[in-house]
Amino acid sequence: MVDQLSRAVVSDPSQDSGRSADLDALYHQPGQARGVIRRLHKSKVKTSGTSTEQLLSQRVRFGARILSRVGSDAIRELTGFFFCAENSLTVYEYKQFGKTAKALPLIHRNSYNHLVGRRRGLPYTLADIRMGNVLHFAVGGQKSLPETARQMKTIPLMICDVDEQTKADLILSGVRPTDEAEVWNKFHELTEEEYKDQVVLRSVQDRVREMIRKRGVRTLTGLSAHFRRSDRTGDGMLDRYELQNALRDFHIQLDQEEFDRVWQVVDLNGDGVLDYGEFIRSFIGTMSEHRKLFVRKAFQKIDPMHKGHVALSQMTKFFNAAKHPWVRSGQTSEVGLTEQFLASWTHCQTAGTVTYPEFEDYYEGISVGVDADEEFVNILRNCWGL
């Protein structure tokens, strides 16, 4: 990505200005065309025809992933850059072609606005580049999107990693050390409405997660399968009554007032429908991006070609129940855990095949019952040999 941005510097015509004619004559060879001599140490970074220097000095790198039920899209590893100089951003996917890695543009560099939420219509800023935030992009104009992603209403990208040091350097440049905390908090400050929304969501999520704590896997995998069956149009959108009935079917008891409060937060455009992935994130919540990093590592180990799906028979060859911390501590037996693991994949959309979103649903359920990050990470490391 940096190489592509820097290419403009080397090719800028103003690089030729101010060059020593005497030195050119000294190194010029008979038969050489005029102007071919270029001394690398004389190349200028700051030129009249490009803003590359400013772009590169004020950019923040971030990692992202597509929030999608399509395995091949959900497993894509994306890298983005936010350019503070022009309030623009771009997102790339790095792909390996033999021994060569290429950066393929997914979201082209431009300035973009919020498409959903309280800030709808306002431009994305550096404050939006934070772990766990979701950026939405319109499908139109993005020519490099995979065909499966084009079927979505918008492209939701979850930010899963941020170059925090560079971001802090840009935000706190020139700020006195005693004022840094105040400036940082002010920069990321929520509006009063956004703060109230978060309070509502966290309150309901805490209640729901406590309800399903001992049946997280069964509930999360079952809900996802239920939503897929209910999604007759295939666009991932369901109305509030279908979603509310699903909660009741899986014994998640919320009174009408609680449900209505959350619905008002997530359905800001008032059209009465919601993507069921967003519904689960809003009503139940999700594991942290730190935990998901290890879930992705485990799946990538059994899916080295990044197809986004694996055969269940192949997956079970990698799963080592004997090393599971719960088996080692005597909480359960190796046989019992193996049987429980195999029984968790009966809800898969295609029998005998597990997609990455289904794999993530399973560990979302495990995560509900595990408070400590260290314990959760150890489960992944031990069972999958990470």
Side-chain angles (χ1 to χ4, degrees):
M1 172 62 185
V2 174
D3 289 343
Q4 293 173 357
L5 287 172
S6 302
R7 200 171 295 147
V9 173
V10 179
S11 60
D12 195 292
S14 64
Q15 294 284 3
D16 293 329
S17 61
R19 191 176 59 204
S20 168
D22 292 338
L23 283 175
D24 280 2
L26 178 63
Y27 291 107
H28 190 274
Q29 299 296 319
Q32 275 187 322
R34 294 182 62 186
V36 299
I37 299 175
R38 179 65 53 82
R39 293 179 300 282
L40 183 60
H41 65 279
K42 281 289 189 181
S43 293
K44 299 182 299 179
V45 174
K46 188 172 184 178
T47 66
S48 59
T50 179
S51 60
T52 302
E53 179 191 28
Q54 194 174 18
L55 280 174
L56 294 181
S57 65
Q58 297 185 24
R59 77 185 192 278
V60 175
R61 182 201 58 78
F62 61 92
R65 57 189 180 84
I66 302 176
L67 295 179
S68 171
R69 297 300 304 178
V70 178
S72 57
D73 290 340
I75 202 67
R76 293 176 188 270
E77 294 185 321
L78 309 177
T79 298
F81 293 92
F82 186 89
F83 302 100
C84 302
E86 57 182 23
N87 223 42
S88 66
L89 62 85
T90 185
V91 179
Y92 277 72
E93 179 182 11
Y94 285 86
K95 281 198 170 183
Q96 195 76 26
F97 297 93
K99 296 182 178 180
T100 305
K102 289 189 177 181
L104 307 177
L106 188 81
I107 302 295
H108 292 276
R109 181 157 64 89
N110 205 343
S111 297
Y112 294 94
N113 293 341
H114 289 261
L115 298 181
V116 298
R118 298 286 185 185
R119 304 194 185 203
R120 185 175 182 178
L122 297 177
Y124 285 127
T125 68
L126 182 57
D128 296 304
I129 308 303
R130 62 183 188 275
M131 284 268 288
N133 196 29
V134 180
L135 308 180
H136 291 262
F137 300 91
V139 174
Q142 304 295 346
K143 299 179 180 179
S144 302
L145 291 175
E147 192 58 38
T148 46
R150 292 183 180 279
Q151 310 305 316
M152 306 171 76
K153 291 181 67 175
T154 63
I155 306 300
L157 299 186
M158 172 73 80
I159 296 179
C160 52
D161 176 44
V162 177
D163 182 352
E164 297 288 0
Q165 184 60 58
T166 300
K167 181 180 176 181
D169 289 345
L170 290 170
I171 295 172
L172 303 177
S173 176
V175 177
R176 291 181 301 180
T178 54
D179 297 333
E180 286 181 351
E182 181 182 352
V183 170
W184 181 268
N185 292 334
K186 188 73 175 176
F187 188 82
H188 296 90
E189 191 173 42
L190 299 176
T191 66
E192 184 178 353
E193 287 181 325
E194 289 171 329
Y195 176 75
K196 289 180 178 178
D197 289 347
Q198 283 200 0
V199 170
V200 169
L201 292 179
R202 285 174 182 169
S203 173
V204 171
Q205 288 170 6
D206 288 346
R207 283 222 324 118
V208 171
R209 292 174 80 83
E210 188 59 36
M211 288 181 204
I212 66 173
R213 184 176 179 85
K214 294 183 179 180
R215 52 185 174 94
V217 171
R218 190 166 65 253
T219 300
L220 270 298
T221 57
L223 266 176
S224 293
H226 176 84
F227 289 147
R228 286 197 305 270
R229 291 192 298 269
S230 303
D231 181 18
R232 300 177 185 87
T233 60
D235 62 358
M237 309 297 289
L238 297 173
D239 65 44
R240 62 174 294 164
Y241 302 105
E242 291 174 306
L243 295 169
Q244 190 171 17
N245 288 336
L247 290 180
R248 292 195 186 111
D249 290 344
F250 283 84
H251 308 291
I252 298 174
Q253 305 297 332
L254 293 178
D255 59 42
Q256 191 63 46
E257 183 181 351
E258 283 180 306
F259 185 90
D260 290 343
R261 283 206 320 253
V262 177
W263 191 265
Q264 288 171 4
V265 171
V266 296
D267 184 31
L268 287 176
N269 60 3
D271 60 4
V273 297
L274 193 66
D275 174 83
Y276 55 76
E278 178 63 26
F279 173 80
I280 290 178
R281 290 191 294 274
S282 301
F283 278 81
I284 301 178
T286 63
M287 66 178 119
S288 68
E289 288 303 312
H290 173 68
R291 294 189 180 199
K292 283 192 178 176
L293 171 65
F294 287 90
V295 174
R296 293 172 72 84
K297 283 183 177 180
F299 194 83
Q300 287 165 355
K301 182 172 182 176
I302 58 180
D303 177 33
M305 301 304 293
H306 298 277
K307 294 179 179 179
H309 60 84
V310 294
L312 178 58
S313 57
Q314 177 71 8
M315 187 171 76
T316 54
K317 293 178 183 179
F318 286 86
F319 184 73
N320 190 338
K323 291 188 176 181
H324 195 294
W326 297 348
V327 173
R328 286 183 164 182
S329 66
Q331 289 178 253
T332 185
S333 67
E334 180 182 350
V335 173
L337 185 69
T338 301
E339 290 176 349
Q340 185 183 46
F341 178 77
L342 293 174
S344 299
W345 310 107
T346 56
H347 295 298
C348 292
Q349 189 169 10
T350 303
T353 299
V354 180
T355 66
Y356 174 72
E358 291 165 341
F359 188 80
E360 190 177 278
D361 286 341
Y362 173 83
Y363 279 103
E364 283 283 7
I366 295 292
S367 180
V368 169
V370 179
D371 293 327
D373 284 347
E374 184 179 0
E375 181 183 357
F376 182 84
V377 170
N378 281 338
I379 291 172
L380 271 298
R381 280 180 169 157
N382 289 1
C383 290
W384 300 103
L386 302 181

